[in-house]
Amino acid sequence: MKLDNKIALVTGASRGIGKAIAKILCENGAFVYLAARDAEKLSVTAKEINPSGTKTKVIPTNITSNTSVGELFSKIKAEEKSLDIVVNAAGIAPAVAAEDLTYQDWKNVLNTNLNSVFSICQSALEGMKAKGGGKIINIASILGSMASPGLTAYCTSKSGVIMLSKQLAVEWAHYNVNVNAIAPGYISTDMTKSLRNDNTLNQKLLARAPLCRWGKPEDVAKVALFLASDDSDYVTGAVIPVDGGMSASLM
Ligand SMILES: NC(=O)c1ccc[n+]([C@@H]2O[C@H](COP(=O)([O-])OP(=O)(O)OC[C@H]3O[C@@H](n4cnc5c(N)ncnc54)[C@H](OP(=O)(O)O)[C@@H]3O)[C@@H](O)[C@H]2O)c1
């Protein structure tokens, strides 16, 4: 299989896009560490992805805490494993008008969506260097290059993820570490439930996507598999939209 003998870490693996990515990596032969805060939900997801439990391990982690991220990497190291693949999929998207956004809320979004990506990429580098290379996949958003009312902190964080991915791709190419970003459009997950439940907004969004449907987590996962595999060995610093054509069209 494409990812036989590969060791992967997926953050945000308990549900939505992270879960779909963890599943496809596992189905293609990788051993996958699943990280998110809710330990119980993670365990249920791990069982669903790999009922035998031989290809997954749950490590409950709060990616906004340096201590928790440190413990995550210590646990992986203690198992004498180092990562070939890292997928940063954890994220939050609270909607608050910029004038009402508290500094604490701003920092929470930036810490979750951007600062954690930096610390996890940096923590994974040592092992990847020792192994002679690796693949890092950061889940950005089309809202990293397009503004959306009420999502100032989110859009800013995703814009940062896009530039961070390009920057690390350039700096770490000589270590044979490929760093790419995926920019999903509107994907059907818990994060976007309230948009789908609002009929007017839902129709508006569907009208904006040339492929005229919501994306599925699996649509994103298939691209992540490509970026995690040898098929993408000459791809680094790329930002791949998975958005039904939304970012290519104005109307
Ligand atoms: N859905 C979309 O339309 C869409 C579009 C573009 C980009 N994205 C991006 O894709 C990624 C996944 O989104 P999704 O739609 O799958 O969201 P989701 O269903 O809400 O899942 C978010 C995941 O992130 C984890 N998480 C949140 N805060 C965390 C923290 N502090 N520490 C560790 N884990 C944390 C959650 O688990 P716990 O709560 O248990 O920690 C959960 O596993 C996000 O980065 C999001 O911004 C989504």
Side-chain angles (χ1 to χ4, degrees):
M1 281 191 280
K2 270 183 197 298
L3 303 180
D4 274 343
N5 303 317
K6 300 291 184 191
I7 314 285
L9 164 68
V10 180
T11 72
S14 59
R15 56 179 196 260
I17 292 171
K19 175 181 171 179
I21 294 174
K23 183 167 187 280
I24 207 166
L25 298 185
C26 195
E27 284 167 352
N28 281 273
F31 181 92
V32 185
Y33 288 102
L34 310 178
R37 288 166 301 184
D38 186 334
E40 211 177 302
K41 181 91 186 73
L42 266 181
S43 298
V44 172
T45 298
K47 270 231 162 73
E48 210 182 305
I49 290 176
N50 177 234
S52 70
T54 53
K55 301 290 285 180
T56 55
K57 176 145 191 186
V58 160
I59 307 185
T61 307
N62 181 349
I63 56 164
T64 63
S65 153
N66 286 337
T67 311
S68 188
V69 170
E71 283 167 7
L72 164 70
F73 280 88
S74 300
K75 283 176 189 161
I76 294 172
K77 207 170 177 180
E79 295 192 347
E80 294 180 354
K81 292 213 168 91
S82 70
L83 301 170
D84 301 282
I85 300 159
V86 169
V87 182
N88 285 298
I92 54 171
V96 188
E99 65 188 69
D100 300 324
L101 189 64
T102 65
Y103 186 56
Q104 190 50 47
D105 289 342
W106 162 268
K107 279 201 299 191
N108 190 33
V109 174
L110 271 286
N111 280 339
T112 309
N113 293 0
L114 177 60
N115 297 340
S116 71
V117 177
F118 172 69
S119 66
I120 289 169
C121 289
Q122 207 184 41
S123 304
L125 181 65
E126 187 191 330
M128 289 184 173
K129 277 163 70 176
K131 276 188 156 175
K135 306 273 193 178
I136 296 177
I137 300 145
N138 296 326
I139 306 303
S141 169
I142 55 167
L143 297 182
S145 38
M146 290 192 284
S148 181
L151 290 174
T152 297
Y154 182 79
C155 294
T156 305
S157 71
K158 293 300 183 179
S159 177
V161 170
I162 289 172
M163 182 45 74
L164 175 65
S165 305
K166 291 182 185 182
Q167 189 64 36
L168 298 185
V170 169
E171 290 201 23
W172 294 352
H174 67 287
Y175 296 131
N176 198 32
V177 173
N178 297 39
V179 187
N180 291 292
I182 297 176
Y186 287 83
I187 311 297
S188 184
T189 67
D190 287 355
M191 186 179 272
T192 50
K193 206 184 238 167
S194 61
L195 304 180
R196 281 189 305 287
N197 288 342
D198 179 331
N199 195 37
T200 315
L201 202 51
N202 189 30
Q203 291 310 320
K204 231 170 148 178
L205 284 171
L206 286 174
R208 278 280 284 110
L211 288 179
C212 212
R213 68 165 172 87
W214 277 80
K216 294 176 283 187
E218 293 73 21
D219 292 320
V220 181
K222 286 177 204 163
V223 177
L225 172 62
F226 163 69
L227 291 175
S229 76
D230 294 351
D231 293 343
S232 61
D233 278 354
Y234 200 55
V235 180
T236 197
V239 182
I240 304 182
V242 180
D243 65 354
M246 200 179 260
S247 60
S249 87
L250 188 59
M251 302 287 281

